[in-house]
Amino acid sequence: MSLATTYNPLDVEAKWYQRWQEMGFFKASPNPEKQPYTIVIPPPNVTGVLHMGHMLNNTIQDVLVRRARMQGREACWVPGTDHASIATETKVVALLKEQGIEKKDLTREQFLAHAFAWKEKYGGIILEQLKQLGASCDWDRTRFTMEPDLTDAVLRAFVSLHDKGLIYRGVRMVNWDPQGGTALSDEEVIAKNVTGRMFHLRYAFASNFTQNEVPVDSATGQPLAVNGNAWLTVATSRPETIMADVAVAVNPNDPRYQHLIGQKVRIPLIGREIPVIADERVAVDFGTGTLKVTPAHDLVDYEIGQANNLPVIDVLNNDGTLNEHAGPRYAGMDRFAVRRLIVKDLEEAGWLEKTEEYATISQTSERTGAVIEPKLSLQWFLKTEQLAKPALEVVENGTVQLHPAKFKNLYRVWMENPRDWCISRQLWWGQQIPAYYLPDGSFVVARTAAEALVQARAQSGNDALQASDLRQDEDVLDTWFSSWLWPISVFDGFKDPENSDIKYFYPTNDLVTGPDILFFWIARMIMAGLEFRGEVPFKNVYLTGIVRDAQGRKMSKQLGNSPDPLELIAQYGADGVRTGMLFSAPAGNDLLFDLKLVEQGRNFSNKIWNAFRLVKGWEADAALPYSNELAVNWFEARLAVAATEMNEHFDKFRISDALLTVYKLVWDDFCALYLEMVKPAYQQPIDAETLRQTVGFFETLLQLLHPFMPFITEELWHELAPRTGRDFVCVAAWPQLVPAPDAAARQTRMEWALGVVAGVRTIRNQKQLAPTKALELLVKTTQPDLLQAYGPLLRKLANLTAISVAETAPAAAVSFVHAGAEYFVPLEGQIDTAAERARLEKELDYTRGFQESVGRKLANEKFTANAKPDVLERERQKLADAEAKIAALEAALRAL
RNA sequence: GGGAUGUUAGCUCAGUUGGUUCAGAGCACCACCCUGACACGGUGGGGGUCACUGGUUCGAGCCCAGUACGUCUCACCA
């Protein structure tokens, strides 16, 4: 045979991907004749390269899209990339630095020119990589969140929300990333459990001491108290912020401190007087029960400060160093260096009572990893409450379904208590906020500078205002402020709300992404969809797990435990990798990536390839009668049942179950059983009808397999028969198979026959007989017709010379009991009577025990009174079967 | 600290409204087999008191309560 014994994916994959594109199979356009099926890709970072998470995610999307396409729907998978403002800006800044260029030396325009040049050159590599995976995206629709049309969508959305009063500008406590030099949303901050140090500082009472020093008993050297109170001990984890203190707060209900409220204390080292105030927000049981209030650097402190009309002193610069308010000794130093220094200073001056370790959480930037500073800052915010309400409702009422449904709870928790979204970022790479400031400091919001000027003139009453008098806000918008519009903006739904694409493809059908961006992205897309289109953006959200290594560790560059996806594809083929990933990827569960599974996927490709080689080698002989009706009828039924099962799995988004169903159908039923049943002897021809049926089955299997394994199925589709025009499995009709009314009966009969085969094979194995050694079978049965009908099939599968009905048990034979009949394989000289007896007795014992337990159940009046009729019937059948088996076993024992 | 969720074979997981013949799959494992499609293979086999304790029921892997351990997630305790 000329075909290689092992399948080589490299030979075929690139070829077919190119052919599909040439044929335009992935292109989608509104077609009223067809039902649309739409997926928008979760746009990967434009700077990104393909990792295992993308592989899983995009494999699932491709499976869904390919199946929908075969189902005759207008399948549209929109690809694209995200400008990822912080990530990309960080990368570009670093690259420029390597070239000796500092960002601070560049103008905004120069920097953006560099960034765009870089994006043009290296951006979007990831999309090319997706093609190797087989992703059937409509590449003509590729979008980028910072391209002009999508930027326009962002600006329109901003203006609209601002005009509705949902976007506002104000000073609020925000999460400040000193390394990135920008504000972050709450979602971009990660809380980490760490061991922190708590410093207990002494704040001396101003009334007791006129000088800023600790009075000490000259004899003992111990600090001296006056009137029982020399100082208040205040615990803090951030001693570097004492210069920003404006009060010490205690709980008004705390008996320890009630009498001290209204007193004044001095900040250690610097001696500034601050009041002791009362506030319910102070926890009595934490630390010392006293709280130093630094409104500029803590949210609670800020609230306390507001409530008590306290001033705000900000001692931090945007880059994390301390400013002039910290005093000359500390100004200009990094916050952590100051912490070390000031602790030493406090200790030397006697203001540090003690230091203790405690478990706390550290808020860090998702992107830079820097410790976040709560910082009062002038930023832009989006009010989310009004948007969140309907977005929660559509998930609650099932208009949008999350798979698995357990994520509904998580979604609810967040959406019931939404906080305003800080949308401004102090970066350059992104959409610049369309707010324009007038010379008097007021501002207008407009999509273009020209519109802004018109508004500004109206607002100020000054018609002489010129464009050059207006200054646009320097900040850009959060990346997610563009991605949340993605399902709408990719179809130009902002620029042209009534265009045919958006009307046809929106709302999209399924979204496939990770639960880590449930709030970042999914929730916000739902809000945007409802706000701007009045319709949800998608109906189903399939949440994938995280790809971990076999030990359950997250894949990371540092650990080096992530395989290179492209190398995997080169080694195992895209089909093998796709199936390997899907084998263990139930929705919402983390996937423990194991190379073994990819091997299994590759082996599956090889199995299919070899089944093809077998069938391809058959020669039909028109003179031969059709001799495989039983096998064909059985497999036809089996195929319909399995296809139905697959569809059910798909409907429930149980993709790996759907794959496993077709895997077993192909490997176990088609290859191991069906092909073995119909396979002619070596170099013998096959009858034409069997060949025709078999090729038909093969084609159906290729169709069912295609969404999972697009390449090998396309290759074999074309090998199996001459194809012309658009006859590709890629666009073949998804099989509509309905199990025949007698499908169950066909399967039951075949299972009976396979039970006989298994009985003979077991004897063969027990007696260590070579599979090539043909055996004889004698049967004591009440159904000789059935035996007669399946005779040829049994002879072939069990390698039997003859099957005959026996009235009595033959001497020197090994026996087994199956479905109430006794089977004997004569094995002269190889019979161990004692062992045979033991084996039969063991089985008899078990069956009697079983019979007894079923009998007890049926004798129980409560059971017979309460059980449903079908359950009762089944139990009676079980009893009857057991009794028949016992009779047969007893007979076999007697015969020994 | 709150909430959610999980604990079923060596590993990764199914197990639908409680009811078929000792609880299933894949991988791994053991034995035999290079049988003229495939050793990336074939045939057969071993392996689980369904985390623990108690309850409801004629009947519980499935329902209820508690315990232990794990995971995820939220959270302004300085």
Side-chain angles (χ1 to χ4, degrees):
Chain A
M1 186 169 299
S2 59
L3 295 167
T5 57
T6 48
Y7 171 64
N8 186 353
L10 284 178
D11 292 348
V12 306
E13 294 188 348
K15 171 181 73 181
W16 289 116
Y17 199 86
Q18 200 189 336
R19 292 282 284 131
W20 291 326
Q21 287 205 278
E22 284 164 10
M23 297 298 291
F25 291 147
F26 305 158
K27 289 189 182 144
S29 54
N31 178 351
E33 307 286 306
K34 289 174 156 190
Q35 218 191 332
Y37 177 83
T38 317
I39 291 185
V40 291
I41 204 168
N45 288 0
V46 69
T47 61
V49 290
L50 200 65
H51 60 62
M52 296 306 286
H54 295 124
M55 296 280 280
L56 172 64
N57 197 276
N58 288 291
T59 296
I60 292 168
Q61 291 176 75
D62 196 46
V63 168
L64 294 173
V65 167
R66 284 183 182 271
R67 175 165 174 268
R69 188 176 293 122
M70 293 175 76
Q71 286 176 317
R73 300 174 71 171
E74 188 67 19
C76 180
W77 183 9
V78 183
T81 49
D82 190 291
H83 67 278
S85 76
I86 298 183
T88 306
E89 179 150 335
T90 308
K91 200 162 215 164
V92 172
V93 166
L95 285 165
L96 287 173
K97 200 163 197 162
E98 281 175 20
Q99 298 168 28
I101 304 170
E102 292 289 330
K103 183 190 168 192
K104 64 176 166 48
D105 298 332
L106 298 174
T107 65
R108 185 182 194 116
E109 287 66 35
Q110 287 171 330
F111 177 80
L112 288 177
H114 279 293
F116 271 112
W118 182 85
K119 181 254 165 188
E120 284 311 312
K121 201 164 172 191
Y122 302 107
I125 290 174
I126 194 163
L127 299 182
E128 292 306 310
Q129 295 178 320
L130 282 178
K131 293 177 183 173
Q132 297 200 33
L133 185 64
S136 60
C137 304
D138 183 351
W139 298 106
D140 294 345
R141 293 181 177 273
T142 304
R143 293 292 206 160
F144 173 53
T145 54
M146 231 171 102
E147 68 178 66
D149 280 348
L150 272 70
T151 291
D152 178 68
V154 165
L155 300 183
R156 284 174 195 267
F158 186 97
V159 171
S160 159
L161 292 166
H162 176 264
D163 290 351
K164 280 188 157 183
L166 292 175
I167 283 179
Y168 63 91
R169 183 174 185 243
V171 174
R172 296 288 185 282
M173 190 63 75
V174 298
N175 305 296
W176 187 263
D177 176 346
Q179 197 172 316
T182 181
L184 299 176
S185 66
D186 294 335
E187 291 69 43
E188 288 165 296
V189 175
I190 300 182
K192 286 183 181 163
N193 289 312
V194 295
T195 301
R197 288 202 295 166
M198 185 79 89
F199 304 95
H200 292 245
L201 307 183
R202 290 168 170 167
Y203 283 56
F205 285 98
S207 55
N208 292 336
F209 312 108
T210 51
Q211 288 169 2
N212 179 37
E213 56 186 27
V214 186
V216 177
D217 185 311
S218 53
T220 62
Q222 288 299 305
L224 188 71
V226 177
N227 296 339
N229 291 294
W231 54 72
L232 266 179
T233 302
V234 179
T236 181
S237 58
R238 298 161 75 202
E240 69 277 14
T241 63
I242 60 170
M243 290 77 86
D245 287 353
V246 295
V248 169
V250 299
N251 192 297
N253 304 314
D254 190 339
R256 292 174 294 177
Y257 303 120
Q258 268 167 357
H259 62 294
L260 300 174
I261 295 163
Q263 295 268 12
K264 283 200 161 41
V265 293
R266 288 179 197 279
I267 298 172
L269 296 178
I270 60 173
R272 179 159 51 81
E273 282 185 20
I274 53 174
V276 176
I277 60 168
D279 196 289
E280 302 260 355
R281 276 166 279 224
V282 180
V284 173
D285 56 359
F286 186 83
T288 57
T290 59
L291 171 68
K292 66 192 248 341
V293 181
T294 53
H297 302 295
D298 186 275
L299 183 58
V300 175
D301 291 19
Y302 179 69
E303 287 168 3
I304 294 175
Q306 292 280 294
N308 292 279
N309 285 317
L310 296 168
V312 174
I313 303 171
D314 188 340
V315 295
L316 274 173
N317 288 318
N318 285 349
D319 63 357
T321 59
L322 275 76
N323 62 24
E324 69 281 4
H325 295 298
R329 180 166 168 80
Y330 308 114
M333 289 175 67
D334 181 75
R335 54 193 165 144
F336 297 114
V338 172
R339 182 176 301 174
R340 285 190 294 274
L341 180 60
I342 204 168
V343 166
K344 196 165 143 264
D345 292 347
L346 286 161
E347 188 169 21
E348 282 171 5
W351 297 115
L352 179 65
E353 187 170 303
K354 64 173 174 177
T355 304
E356 59 184 19
E357 295 200 332
Y358 77 120
T360 186
I361 48 165
S362 170
Q363 308 278 2
T364 57
S365 164
E366 182 199 36
R367 198 50 65 180
T368 66
V371 175
I372 292 298
E373 286 293 339
K375 188 172 163 57
L376 269 184
S377 179
L378 182 59
Q379 302 287 345
W380 291 89
F381 295 88
L382 173 66
K383 290 183 190 168
T384 37
E385 194 179 355
Q386 191 178 323
L387 296 170
K389 201 162 280 174
L392 172 59
E393 201 182 307
V394 292
V395 170
E396 291 285 12
N397 69 22
T399 310
V400 173
Q401 297 201 6
L402 307 185
H403 306 272
K406 67 178 176 184
F407 286 108
K408 228 169 138 171
N409 292 319
L410 204 57
Y411 183 85
R412 187 184 304 118
V413 167
W414 196 70
M415 297 300 272
E416 278 177 345
N417 192 16
R419 283 172 298 168
D420 288 357
W421 174 12
C422 176
I423 53 176
S424 44
R425 296 290 180 275
Q426 287 65 53
L427 300 167
W428 282 345
W429 180 246
Q431 281 96 12
Q432 196 171 351
I433 290 180
Y436 297 81
Y437 298 93
L438 280 64
D440 67 2
S442 65
F443 64 86
V444 295
V445 167
R447 195 164 59 88
T448 62
E451 282 174 28
L453 183 60
V454 173
Q455 278 191 43
R457 283 176 177 164
Q459 184 170 307
S460 64
N462 177 4
D463 285 347
L465 271 183
Q466 295 302 312
S468 56
D469 296 328
L470 299 181
R471 185 180 53 81
Q472 187 174 359
D473 197 297
E474 292 287 316
D475 290 353
V476 299
L477 287 158
D478 182 5
T479 291
W480 299 101
F481 196 86
S482 59
S483 6
W484 77 321
L485 310 174
W486 186 248
I488 304 172
S489 60
V490 295
F491 296 115
D492 289 327
F494 283 89
K495 192 174 69 180
D496 184 5
E498 294 299 312
N499 81 73
S500 56
D501 271 1
I502 186 111
K503 283 167 76 178
Y504 184 74
F505 291 115
Y506 188 96
T508 72
N509 296 80
D510 304 331
L511 179 82
V512 181
T513 190
D516 51 327
I517 51 176
L518 188 60
F519 311 138
F520 265 123
W521 194 44
I522 298 170
R524 288 173 181 159
M525 277 192 288
I526 297 174
M527 291 188 220
L530 294 168
E531 168 69 16
F532 297 110
R533 297 293 306 179
E535 253 187 309
V536 296
F538 32 71
K539 290 150 205 155
N540 294 289
V541 180
Y542 179 100
L543 295 151
T544 62
I546 296 166
V547 181
R548 298 174 179 275
D549 69 8
Q551 283 95 55
R553 298 174 304 179
K554 244 181 177 171
M555 286 193 169
S556 70
K557 275 186 190 156
Q558 292 94 311
L559 280 172
N561 58 350
S562 177
D564 177 346
L566 297 181
E567 265 175 39
L568 276 183
I569 290 175
Q571 205 176 339
Y572 295 94
D575 291 330
V577 178
R578 289 164 65 111
T579 47
M581 303 217 66
L582 288 177
F583 272 130
S584 78
N589 279 14
D590 285 356
L591 176 149
L592 270 59
F593 179 80
D594 193 337
L595 211 53
K596 282 256 159 60
L597 294 175
V598 176
E599 272 176 29
Q600 195 187 340
R602 177 204 56 188
N603 294 354
F604 187 37
S605 300
N606 196 51
K607 188 74 186 176
I608 298 165
W609 172 250
N610 276 289
F612 162 73
R613 287 178 63 222
L614 176 67
V615 175
K616 180 81 176 173
W618 289 345
E619 300 270 335
D621 183 342
L624 286 174
Y626 178 34
S627 59
N628 289 297
E629 205 168 354
L630 284 174
V632 167
N633 283 348
W634 164 73
F635 191 74
E636 185 185 49
R638 182 74 200 90
L639 189 57
V641 168
T644 306
E645 201 181 313
M646 256 181 103
N647 283 330
E648 285 166 7
H649 285 313
F650 268 118
D651 291 344
K652 291 177 189 159
F653 286 89
R654 301 169 68 138
I655 314 289
S656 50
D657 287 328
L659 170 61
L660 201 58
T661 300
V662 70
Y663 176 83
K664 286 195 274 194
L665 175 67
V666 170
W667 200 305
D668 300 342
D669 296 315
F670 187 65
C671 294
L673 297 175
Y674 175 78
L675 289 180
E676 293 298 332
M677 291 174 196
V678 303
K679 169 168 146 181
Y682 181 56
Q683 287 187 335
Q684 294 298 303
I686 192 166
D687 73 78
E689 178 60 10
T690 301
L691 182 60
R692 193 184 67 81
Q693 294 276 8
T694 304
V695 169
F697 290 149
F698 213 132
E699 287 187 339
T700 305
L701 292 174
L702 292 177
Q703 289 167 349
L704 294 174
L705 284 165
H706 180 75
F708 302 102
M709 312 178 89
F711 296 106
I712 189 173
T713 50
E714 195 66 84
E715 172 75 6
L716 297 187
W717 184 262
H718 292 265
E719 288 287 338
L720 212 49
R723 311 282 176 183
T724 55
R726 291 174 65 84
D727 189 0
F728 283 66
V729 70
C730 178
V731 290
W734 183 253
Q736 301 279 335
L737 300 175
V738 180
D742 66 339
R746 291 188 205 176
Q747 289 198 77
T748 306
R749 279 198 301 276
M750 185 58 83
E751 273 158 27
W752 163 81
L754 293 174
V756 177
V757 173
V760 177
R761 284 174 173 174
T762 303
I763 289 173
R764 213 184 271 286
N765 266 284
Q766 281 171 349
K767 295 292 168 192
Q768 308 263 307
L769 301 171
T772 42
K773 181 177 164 62
L775 299 172
E776 194 190 342
L777 185 67
L778 296 167
V779 191
K780 208 171 134 189
T781 179
T782 53
Q783 293 174 289
D785 302 351
L786 200 57
L787 200 65
Q788 172 81 27
Y790 282 82
L793 198 147
L794 295 177
R795 274 202 295 276
K796 195 184 249 177
L797 291 186
N799 191 15
L800 299 168
T801 50
I803 303 172
S804 42
V805 175
E807 292 303 321
T808 54
V814 183
S815 68
F816 64 95
V817 170
H818 173 60
E822 289 171 71
Y823 295 79
F824 304 93
V825 177
L827 281 174
E828 204 71 49
Q830 293 191 51
I831 307 303
D832 179 344
T833 312
E836 283 301 305
R837 182 175 297 279
R839 191 173 59 79
L840 288 171
E841 275 173 350
K842 194 177 161 198
E843 199 174 354
L844 185 59
D845 269 358
Y846 167 74
T847 312
R848 279 187 177 138
F850 177 76
Q851 175 210 26
E852 207 175 308
S853 92
V854 178
R856 261 202 309 274
K857 200 188 257 188
L858 283 166
N860 183 338
E861 276 175 34
K862 285 185 175 168
F863 172 71
T864 50
N866 291 316
K868 281 175 269 177
D870 59 317
V871 174
L872 212 56
E873 183 48 44
R874 263 179 273 158
E875 291 299 318
R876 293 208 172 104
Q877 188 60 47
K878 273 153 73 173
L879 189 64
D881 289 349
E883 279 163 356
K885 187 165 186 183
I886 287 167
L889 284 168
E890 283 171 345
L893 269 171
R894 275 195 304 275
L896 267 178

